[in-house]
């Protein structure tokens, strides 16, 4: 149950999957509130990384996220999430005033509502361990009227205003000691000019009654149909760019009492394309029922 409760902090880009290898069980679930703070100055552009965000120099992203899951049966689970995000640049006010009214240092609002159905398709012993194979299908769509237009001022937009349809396959191996390894891969189809993407995550961790901890890596590879920022073919529409990344992180969950627990996490982008080299920290509280 600890693994189902954690579902680490949802960052602004939702770089880590909402899907875990643990099932909540019929009638069980969690509600998690998480706050995340990220910042980046370096940006992975093509053909090389630059040491300052175009126009805005540095960007800070803060978010408050709601996550909930519920076991419809022992083998079927519903998962939902909704983040509120504020993206803040550190551009000089004189520079912004000279560029026009579409340029501002702050954009904020509800981002995208996501809903998944997860199901356990297969379970079998492997020696003394247990192997579970799971699948998940989900949709994510804008939850507010936030904008992302063809304008350099929208490099700090809070999202890409696309609806995403995602399918994921998961392999989850649990040992009697509580150590687990999870791998997942899937494909996300996006609307508008946002490129489709292959997505994958890997985790290794420990799930015990008094502590849950994991180290994770998250990967995205966009299809070749996208553009690159400030390169030939780029029209100022950031949503049409190819967004690739490799991101790593750690998460901890500590139960306190009566179903209440605390969450701590940290993450870092290691490589990417058309994405900021962000470092993030998070903290939250969960209620497990």
């Amino acid at each position: 149950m600890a693994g189902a409760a954690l579902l680490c902090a949802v960052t602004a880009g939702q770089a880590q999957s909402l899907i875990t290898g643990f099932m909540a069980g019929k009638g069980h679930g969690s509600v998690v509130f998480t706050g995340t703070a990220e910042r980046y100055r370096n940006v992975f552009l093509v053909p090389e990384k630059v040491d300052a965000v175009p126009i805005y120099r540095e960007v800070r992203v803060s978010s408050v996220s709601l996550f909930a899951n519920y076991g419809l049966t022992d083998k079927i689970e519903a998962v939902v999430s909704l983040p509120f995000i504020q993206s803040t640049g550190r551009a000089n006010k004189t520079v912004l005033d000279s560029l026009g009214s579409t340029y501002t240092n702050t954009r904020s609002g509800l981002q995208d509502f996501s809903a998944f159905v997860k199901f356990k398709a297969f379970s079998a012993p492997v020696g003394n361990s247990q192997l579970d194979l799971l699948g998940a299908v989900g949709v994510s769509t804008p939850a507010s009227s936030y904008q992302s237009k063809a304008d350099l001022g929208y490099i700090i937009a809070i999202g890409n205003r696309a609806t995403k349809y995602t399918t994921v396959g998961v392999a989850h191996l649990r040992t009697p000691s509580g150590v687990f390894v999870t791998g997942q891969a899937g494909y996300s189809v996006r609307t508008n000019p946002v490129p489709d993407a292959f997505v994958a995550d890997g985790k290794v961790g420990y799930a015990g009654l008094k502590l849950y901890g994991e180290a994770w890596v998250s990967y995205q590879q966009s299809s070749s149909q996208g553009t690159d920022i400030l390169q030939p073919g780029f029209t100022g529409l950031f949503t049409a760019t190819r967004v690739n990344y490799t991101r790593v992180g750690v998460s901890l969950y500590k139960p306190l009492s009566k179903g209440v627990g605390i969450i701590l996490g940290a993450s870092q982008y290691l490589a990417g394309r058309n994405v900021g080299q962000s470092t993030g920290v998070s903290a939250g509280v969960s209620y497990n029922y």
Side-chain angles (χ1 to χ4, degrees), residues 60-64 84-88 106-109 156 158:
R60 300 186 180 190
V61 180
S62 57
S63 65
V64 179
F84 177 91
I85 295 175
Q86 178 171 294
S87 179
T88 303
T106 302
R107 299 189 185 277
S108 62
I156 61 168
I158 66 170

Side-chain angles (χ1 to χ4, degrees), residues 266-288:
S267 65
Q268 173 71 59
Y269 281 93
L270 298 182
R273 184 183 189 123
N274 300 310
V275 68
Q277 190 178 15
S278 171
T279 299
V281 294
S282 59
V285 61
S286 73
Y287 174 69
N288 310 316

Side-chain angles (χ1 to χ4, degrees), residues 30-257:
S30 306
V31 178
V32 183
F33 291 93
T34 307
T36 301
E38 297 182 77
R39 61 183 294 181
Y40 62 92
R41 186 177 183 89
N42 297 333
V43 183
F44 294 108
L45 295 184
V46 175
E48 61 186 6
K49 182 172 69 174
V50 298
D51 61 5
V53 180
I55 300 174
Y56 291 96
R57 298 184 297 170
E58 180 180 277
V59 174
R60 300 186 180 190
V61 180
S62 57
S63 65
V64 179
S65 301
L66 167 66
F67 166 89
N69 66 327
Y70 180 76
L72 302 174
T73 72
D74 286 339
K75 294 186 177 182
I76 303 175
E77 181 179 325
V79 179
V80 296
S81 75
L82 179 65
F84 177 91
I85 295 175
Q86 178 171 294
S87 179
T88 303
R90 303 193 71 184
N92 183 284
K93 186 178 184 302
T94 302
V95 172
L96 293 183
D97 290 345
S98 69
L99 291 172
S101 60
T102 62
Y103 288 79
T104 176
N105 261 328
T106 302
R107 299 189 185 277
S108 62
L110 290 174
Q111 195 206 44
D112 300 336
F113 173 76
S114 299
F116 279 82
V117 175
K118 181 174 69 173
F119 54 90
K120 184 186 291 187
F122 176 81
S123 184
V126 178
N128 293 327
S129 301
Q130 184 77 18
L131 175 65
D132 295 330
L133 299 181
L134 305 92
V137 293
V139 61
S140 176
T141 194
S144 70
S145 58
Y146 73 84
Q147 298 297 311
S148 186
K149 298 179 180 179
D151 190 310
L152 289 177
Y154 285 89
I155 196 171
I156 61 168
I158 66 170
N160 55 26
R161 285 211 60 79
T163 296
K164 310 172 187 69
Y165 303 94
T166 304
T167 59
V168 177
V170 184
H172 179 68
L173 183 68
R174 293 174 289 141
T175 70
S177 66
V179 174
F180 68 89
V181 178
T182 307
Q184 62 178 268
Y187 199 76
S188 180
V189 177
R190 288 92 184 271
T191 60
N192 298 329
V194 181
D196 301 339
F198 169 79
V199 292
D201 286 81
K203 298 179 183 180
V204 59
Y206 170 78
L209 293 177
K210 296 183 178 181
L211 182 69
Y212 175 102
E214 66 177 26
W216 54 266
V217 57
S218 186
Y219 175 81
Q220 176 173 298
Q221 178 76 37
S222 291
S223 67
S224 59
Q225 67 193 50
T227 60
D228 291 307
I229 295 173
L230 302 180
Q231 294 299 305
F234 178 68
T235 64
L237 188 61
F238 292 96
T239 59
T241 59
R242 299 172 62 184
V243 177
N244 302 341
Y245 59 76
T246 300
R247 191 176 199 181
V248 296
V250 293
S251 304
L252 292 174
Y253 167 78
K254 175 67 176 177
L256 298 178
S257 62

